[in-house]
């Protein structure tokens, strides 16, 4: 627990417990290289820089808004709102700035997204991209 945790919204029940976080982080770390492997088939190289689209979920509008604000501090474009597929969930989505598509860089970014999501009681639901960005 951090010194400024009292500033974080804590409305509603916990969304991501430690066990779910560990399981999701393992899954995301397995998926990242598979996604990169697919991108490499579209002439994306490890040196190519692409923006990544990311997705998080949580259980209250307050948590979604607070987390969106934190992601904006990373200079990401971020949106949040009610999930279209489940009205009891809130989605936080957006795009990063450009990131090199090297395995280690994407793996480190993926792990960080899992961790920062957990810090704010949001679950990282993965990422995607368009290999044909300008």
């Amino acid at each position: 627990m951090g010194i400024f945790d009292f500033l974080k919204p804590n409305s509603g029940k916990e969304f991501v417990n430690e066990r779910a976080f560990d399981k999701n982080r393992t899954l995301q770390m397995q998926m990242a290289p598979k996604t990169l492997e697919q991108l490499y088939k579209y002439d994306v190289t490890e040196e190519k820089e692409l923006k990544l689209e990311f997705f998080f979920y949580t259980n209250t509008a307050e948590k979604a808004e607070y987390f969106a604000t934190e992601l904006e501090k990373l200079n990401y474009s971020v949106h949040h709102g009610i999930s279209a597929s489940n009205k009891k969930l809130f989605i936080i989505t957006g795009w990063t700035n450009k990131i090199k598509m090297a395995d280690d860089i994407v793996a480190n970014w993926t792990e960080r997204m899992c961790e920062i999501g957990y810090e704010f009681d949001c679950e990282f639901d993965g990422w995607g991209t368009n290999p044909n960005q300008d």
Side-chain angles (χ1 to χ4, degrees):
M1 185 172 263
I3 192 167
F4 294 108
D5 282 352
F6 69 93
L7 295 173
K8 293 181 187 175
N10 195 19
S11 57
K13 189 176 175 185
E14 176 184 59
F15 185 66
V16 183
N17 63 36
E18 188 173 356
R19 184 169 176 248
F21 161 70
D22 287 337
K23 185 177 178 182
N24 185 56
R25 180 178 51 189
T26 299
L27 173 67
Q28 295 300 332
M29 296 306 292
Q30 290 170 348
M31 291 299 298
K34 292 177 183 178
T35 303
L36 282 172
E37 191 176 296
Q38 292 302 310
L39 287 169
Y40 295 155
K41 291 178 182 177
Y42 291 95
D43 296 325
V44 171
T45 66
E46 289 194 359
E47 292 302 311
K48 177 132 184 171
E49 293 185 352
L50 295 173
K51 292 181 179 183
L52 302 182
E53 186 177 23
F54 54 83
F55 306 89
F56 292 87
Y57 288 94
T58 194
N59 60 341
T60 72
E62 294 81 11
K63 290 177 191 176
E65 182 176 0
Y66 189 70
F67 186 51
T69 301
E70 289 301 307
L71 290 172
E72 287 171 347
K73 292 177 183 176
L74 299 174
N75 294 320
Y76 294 171
S77 66
V78 184
H79 306 283
H80 62 89
I82 297 172
S83 169
S85 62
N86 183 340
K87 302 297 182 202
K88 293 181 181 181
L89 293 180
F90 296 84
I91 187 169
I92 305 95
T93 186
W95 289 85
T96 66
N97 36 18
K98 289 189 174 187
I99 297 173
K100 279 191 179 182
M101 293 294 99
D103 289 337
D104 60 332
I105 293 171
V106 173
N108 289 337
W109 177 84
T110 299
E111 186 167 31
R112 180 67 186 127
M113 291 298 101
C114 290
E115 291 169 355
I116 193 172
Y118 180 59
E119 287 175 34
F120 290 90
D121 200 26
C122 299
E123 184 171 71
F124 182 55
D125 194 44
W127 60 272
T129 192
N130 178 347
N132 300 316
Q133 297 175 17
D134 292 331

